[in-house]
Amino acid sequence: MRFSRTLLPTLAFLLWASGVQAATYCVSNVNDLLQKIATFSTLPDGSTLVVKLVKGNYSIGNGFGDVVRDSGSRAVGFQLLGGYSPGCTSRKVDPANTVLDGLSLPGGGLLLWLLGDADVRIEGITFQHFVASNPYRSVLEIDGIGSSATYAVQYCRLLGNTGSQLVRMAGAQMSFANNLVAGNTLSGAVPAALYAQFSYEADSMLSASNNTIADNAGGAGVRVDTWGWSSVRTSEIANNVLWGNGGKDLDLSKFDTSASSVLVSANVVGTSSGPALPSGNLVTNPKFSNAGQGDYTLASGSPAINSGTPIQLYGFPAHDLSGGTRIVGSLIDRGAYESTIDNSTTAVVTTTSDNGSNTSPTPGSLRAAIKAANAATGPFRIQFDVSAGCPTLLSLSAPMLDVSGDVTIDGTTQTGWTANTDYGRFDSTVCLYLNGLGSTPWALHVPSGAPTNARLVVRGLGFAGFSDAAIKLEGGRNHRIWGSQFGSVPLTLPNRNAIRVTGASGGAFIGGYDDPGAVNLVAGSSDAGIFLDNTSGGSTVANAVIGMQPDGIGDGGNAMGIFAFNSPNNVVQYSYVGNSTSNGIVLSGAASSGNVLQYNRIGFAVGGQAVPNAGAGVLVNFAAKNNTIGAPLGADWGSNLIVGSGGPGVWISPSGGAGNRVLDNTFFGNAGLDIDLAAAGPSANQASNPSSGPNGLQNYPVLTSATRDAATKTETVAGTLTSAPNTTYRLDFHYAIGDCSTLPGGRGGAYRTLERTYVTTGALGSVPFTATVAFSWDGLPIGAISATATDPAGNTSEIGNCVAEILSDHLFQDGFE
């Protein structure tokens, strides 16, 4: 594979410019903890303070003192992580082992005020006996700006504290997952155990899932206030137990559902306000084991056991609050704790032998277990206890029985299996590999005639040598595939497709969020690695490693990484897609609309190595329309990194449809234009616009000058846009490293998207503009500036003409010669 620009020597620079520095400390006493947190104010912009707490009790009192805050224009992340062994060599995430105690002294609590896109993660800690400093303060507060920032509190307990709110979050992406908040006292302004507030023009959302929030006196359990801001992100409140709180257990009276969307599913809720609870939420006693003694695990007979939703929009947690297995039985339990009660019928596979007979399968074989699963009337779990060792091949001598029930096939139960530990690579020890020998069409198949409640869950298995698709889903819904390996198996043949979701199948969840154990490896497929062509669409691919070897670097290329054909409303996020022998991701067909590609690394490995796709990074063709590649139309978050493609970065081909938004992405080293419409290579602006062609052949802005002012950290760009009359357009300005002669086709590059602005054309369809936008990256050399235009329907133009930056000369401007 070749690169049109000098890619390899600049990868280190790309990592430096886009990476995050971390100041990481292992602490084991209060003084050290407070000292390390105090260093937050000294860290440079773009860095993260990571404090790892050794297991034990920390008598903090009111030692946290004043607010921990960013100053000036700094954006510094913060992580406080409990559960470490001495020296921080290992970790068990269980808040019972790491306790911060406020000693009931007034003025306690941890308050974080942040700037910019700085992430926060508080994990695996008990906060107890803290007393907030005044009626407007919280015990744990995370407040900031930045449309891409994520604030996460997970696997924590808050017990016996006092404050206006126990946890207050105000930001863009707020996650509160698998926590216990119980036995606290709320008072003062807007009392709530969890208070989530939408932030200023940040497209805010709250994901509150798998929490137990109970018996907090004086206020609400969960309260969400949109504060009049709209959001294109969707909030989710799912699988919680909200019970016995002093106010409404769930207060959505200040959530403006006309401006933002929220999914409320499978909760146990005592009292609520706001929109009526959808079906599937329970208003019944959750039956705790012994709440009076602080035991909020679920008693036998609790309606919360094995009754949660089969799919969560933002994924399931990796484990329960105490570190135990998170899903035991057919469905997740509601609340923070998972019961050991399994409502599934279980079969154990004890042999790798397979006689190929669906009528009289080999006893103890996988084929026999699937036959038993199909005959069962309820959920069925298949486990493994094979004596052949780890790893071993299970070769199929004939097509496997179809799956027609609610079946979980769990390879993690085989002795020797270990979970994947990181994103962007696959270091799981998979013990059992199903081998199709190149002639068997599939390993696992849900047929089109399967009932709608048919559901296949696959975890911890390997697949190779299947001539159709290793897993083919044609019917049923809410399928889940996680922690599995497709291809890259020595001495086997490739799969044609690793996973295919097709026919009448409902959405599948492939991978997961916030759990490296959910990562799937998809390598070496002779066609698309993941093929989505179900008419209902709605699948999610998250945190996949597609086209690499298990190390996340080596060539495990598929013919295509992901191919969506006439399949709408799929989501691909946080995945690595590289080494494809053609295109990385393809959106094709008129029914392929509403698909969302965000936060992916396409052509770029987790360690910064080039893993380029031979064709386009993303190809949109055959009338695919109204898809989002990067940011939504009115936002500046969701950027994909698209590097080293053998063709364009994003190519809306001559057959592509309209309304395809390509916004706020980062491109580098692509052989073609970073954003290309119609025939490969630059297309001229149209005399009449919009015109007939992909994205209406939206015209790009023609720039005449770009001046960087290092003192004010701004870029002033002048140019003209000519398009439809009396229409408002979004303009995005892009920076590229190097000079214009090094960039393809005489156009610019989008290594950094600066800032968007809006212009409105006049009656003749033209508008000259001079826009001053932020340019805050001090380390980037003088380079080249270009722009794209996007109309109100979401049609993004090609990357526009290139103009060389010049530096503003303040000396001459002030009159000195």
Side-chain angles (χ1 to χ4, degrees):
M1 296 180 184
R2 68 178 181 86
F3 311 112
S4 64
R5 292 174 240 171
T6 308
L7 176 61
L8 294 175
T10 56
L11 285 176
F13 182 81
L14 181 62
L15 277 177
W16 168 81
S18 62
V20 175
Q21 306 171 43
T24 303
Y25 302 102
C26 180
V27 305
S28 58
N29 61 73
V30 171
N31 288 337
D32 198 16
L33 169 61
L34 297 179
Q35 288 172 5
K36 294 303 186 290
I37 290 178
T39 66
F40 182 85
S41 61
T42 68
L43 294 177
D45 181 43
S47 59
T48 298
L49 173 64
V50 180
V51 179
K52 299 178 178 180
L53 291 172
V54 173
K55 291 180 284 189
N57 288 1
Y58 295 75
S59 297
I60 298 290
N62 54 14
F64 282 130
D66 200 2
V67 176
V68 178
R69 71 174 74 210
D70 283 331
S71 60
S73 60
R74 295 165 61 250
V76 178
F78 183 87
Q79 295 185 21
L80 187 63
L81 312 175
Y84 286 90
S85 63
C88 296
T89 56
S90 63
R91 186 184 186 208
K92 178 174 174 55
V93 181
D94 178 353
N97 65 33
T98 309
V99 179
L100 304 185
D101 198 324
L103 304 176
S104 299
L105 296 177
L110 178 60
L111 311 178
L112 305 169
W113 290 1
L114 303 149
L115 296 172
D117 288 319
D119 295 340
V120 174
R121 181 156 63 107
I122 312 293
E123 181 179 85
I125 298 168
T126 294
F127 294 83
Q128 67 181 27
H129 306 143
F130 284 91
V131 179
S133 58
N134 66 55
Y136 297 94
R137 285 285 183 250
S138 307
V139 170
L140 178 58
E141 181 173 328
I142 310 170
D143 194 340
I145 60 174
S147 58
S148 291
T150 298
Y151 302 155
V153 178
Q154 53 197 28
Y155 308 115
C156 289
R157 300 188 305 176
L158 287 97
L159 308 172
N161 303 284
T162 301
S164 175
Q165 297 106 25
L166 301 173
V167 177
R168 180 184 184 276
M169 306 174 84
Q173 300 177 90
M174 300 171 283
S175 174
F176 193 74
N178 227 123
N179 303 288
L180 171 65
V181 186
N184 302 279
T185 300
L186 304 167
S187 62
V190 196
L194 170 63
Y195 177 70
Q197 175 184 316
F198 278 29
S199 190
Y200 173 74
E201 292 186 343
D203 279 327
S204 294
M205 55 75 68
L206 169 69
S207 172
S209 62
N210 309 103
N211 302 288
T212 298
I213 301 177
D215 298 337
N216 299 290
V222 174
R223 177 183 168 119
V224 187
D225 192 339
T226 58
W227 271 63
W229 302 114
S230 62
S231 176
V232 297
R233 289 182 168 118
T234 299
S235 294
E236 181 179 38
I237 301 171
N239 290 323
N240 301 286
V241 174
L242 311 174
W243 190 261
N245 297 289
K248 298 294 185 182
D249 292 302
L250 177 60
D251 185 352
L252 296 180
S253 60
K254 298 297 184 181
F255 194 106
D256 184 357
T257 55
S258 68
S260 305
S261 60
V262 59
L263 301 175
V264 181
S265 56
N267 303 282
V268 178
V269 181
T271 59
S272 64
S273 61
L277 293 176
S279 62
N281 292 279
L282 301 177
V283 183
T284 186
N285 190 327
K287 296 185 180 179
F288 299 122
S289 293
N290 194 339
Q293 297 298 314
D295 183 355
Y296 285 89
T297 59
L298 300 172
S300 176
S302 167
I305 295 174
N306 296 321
S307 66
T309 181
I311 296 292
Q312 288 181 183
L313 182 63
Y314 299 104
F316 293 118
H319 49 79
D320 82 343
L321 184 60
S322 59
T325 301
R326 182 62 263 203
I327 302 178
V328 178
S330 61
L331 296 170
I332 196 169
D333 293 354
R334 310 182 198 212
Y337 294 99
E338 187 79 13
S339 166
T340 58
I341 297 172
D342 189 343
N343 66 330
S344 302
T345 303
T346 300
V348 179
V349 176
T350 57
T351 180
T352 59
S353 298
D354 178 54
N355 64 10
S357 171
N358 290 335
T359 25
S360 300
T362 303
S365 67
L366 177 60
R367 194 178 298 270
I370 291 178
K371 183 175 182 180
N374 288 339
T377 56
F380 200 94
R381 178 178 295 272
I382 297 174
Q383 300 180 348
F384 294 84
D385 186 15
V386 175
S387 60
C390 178
T392 190
L393 288 176
L394 195 165
S395 295
L396 301 182
S397 57
M400 180 56 75
L401 275 163
D402 289 342
V403 173
S404 58
D406 183 350
V407 182
T408 296
I409 304 177
D410 190 354
T412 71
T413 55
Q414 175 65 31
T415 300
W417 173 89
T418 63
N420 184 60
T421 61
D422 201 0
Y423 300 104
R425 54 180 61 93
F426 190 80
D427 61 7
S428 172
T429 303
V430 174
C431 291
L432 294 165
Y433 290 90
L434 277 61
N435 183 12
L437 303 171
S439 58
T440 303
W442 49 68
L444 301 169
H445 178 224
V446 180
S448 59
T452 55
N453 62 353
R455 176 173 177 255
L456 177 63
V457 178
V458 178
R459 183 184 182 195
L461 292 174
F463 300 86
F466 293 96
S467 61
D468 189 340
I471 296 178
K472 189 171 184 179
L473 307 170
E474 293 190 82
R477 59 195 321 100
N478 294 325
H479 309 293
R480 189 177 184 209
I481 302 166
W482 55 314
S484 293
Q485 178 178 343
F486 298 85
S488 189
V489 182
L491 305 178
T492 64
L493 296 170
N495 301 302
R496 181 182 178 187
N497 304 127
I499 302 164
R500 185 172 180 184
V501 187
T502 185
S505 177
F509 205 109
I510 302 168
Y513 299 100
D514 299 322
D515 178 10
V519 168
N520 293 296
L521 175 72
V522 178
S525 305
S526 61
D527 197 347
I530 298 175
F531 187 5
L532 309 173
D533 66 332
N534 57 324
T535 55
S536 62
S539 292
T540 295
V541 180
N543 283 300
V545 178
I546 301 174
M548 279 71 83
Q549 296 293 335
D551 64 0
I553 305 168
D555 189 348
N558 308 280
M560 290 175 283
I562 300 173
F563 181 31
F565 180 71
N566 281 329
S567 185
N569 303 320
N570 301 292
V571 175
V572 181
Q573 291 183 325
Y574 301 103
S575 292
Y576 293 78
V577 183
N579 293 317
S580 302
T581 58
S582 59
N583 306 293
I585 299 176
V586 179
L587 305 177
S588 183
S592 284
S593 64
N595 295 292
V596 176
L597 313 181
Q598 291 176 331
Y599 302 115
N600 302 292
R601 288 191 175 191
I602 300 171
F604 199 61
V606 65
Q609 298 84 357
V611 287
N613 299 286
V618 178
L619 171 64
V620 181
N621 65 8
F622 294 110
K625 59 185 181 296
N626 299 329
N627 299 292
T628 297
I629 303 167
L633 183 58
D636 57 2
W637 48 266
S639 172
N640 301 285
L641 175 60
I642 303 175
V643 171
S645 308
V650 174
W651 185 18
I652 320 264
S653 81
S655 65
N660 296 293
R661 296 163 289 283
V662 187
L663 299 170
D664 205 50
N665 299 286
T666 295
F667 298 86
F668 194 80
N670 299 295
L673 301 185
D674 286 343
I675 305 171
D676 195 354
L677 303 184
S683 299
N685 276 343
Q686 304 297 299
S688 176
N689 201 233
S691 186
S692 176
N695 272 14
L697 295 180
Q698 172 60 49
N699 284 347
Y700 60 82
V702 177
L703 303 187
T704 54
S705 67
T707 303
R708 191 195 303 188
D709 189 325
T712 61
K713 295 186 177 181
T714 59
E715 187 89 29
T716 300
V717 185
T720 300
L721 174 66
T722 301
S723 194
N726 303 315
T727 303
T728 298
Y729 292 85
R730 168 176 170 161
L731 304 187
D732 288 85
F733 300 109
H734 307 281
Y735 162 88
I737 298 170
D739 59 54
C740 293
S741 65
T742 67
L743 301 173
R747 298 292 179 82
Y751 172 65
R752 275 284 185 272
T753 297
L754 305 184
E755 198 173 76
R756 70 183 190 270
T757 191
Y758 293 88
V759 297
T760 301
T761 55
L764 298 178
S766 183
V767 55
F769 59 84
T770 299
T772 299
V773 297
F775 193 112
S776 57
W777 300 285
D778 293 335
L780 293 177
I782 292 298
I785 301 296
S786 60
T788 55
T790 304
D791 73 8
N795 294 293
T796 299
S797 72
E798 281 190 346
I799 194 81
N801 70 301
C802 180
V803 295
E805 277 188 296
I806 61 173
L807 275 178
S808 174
D809 191 332
H810 283 279
L811 186 65
F812 288 171
Q813 286 178 5
D814 289 343
F816 296 96
E817 301 185 75

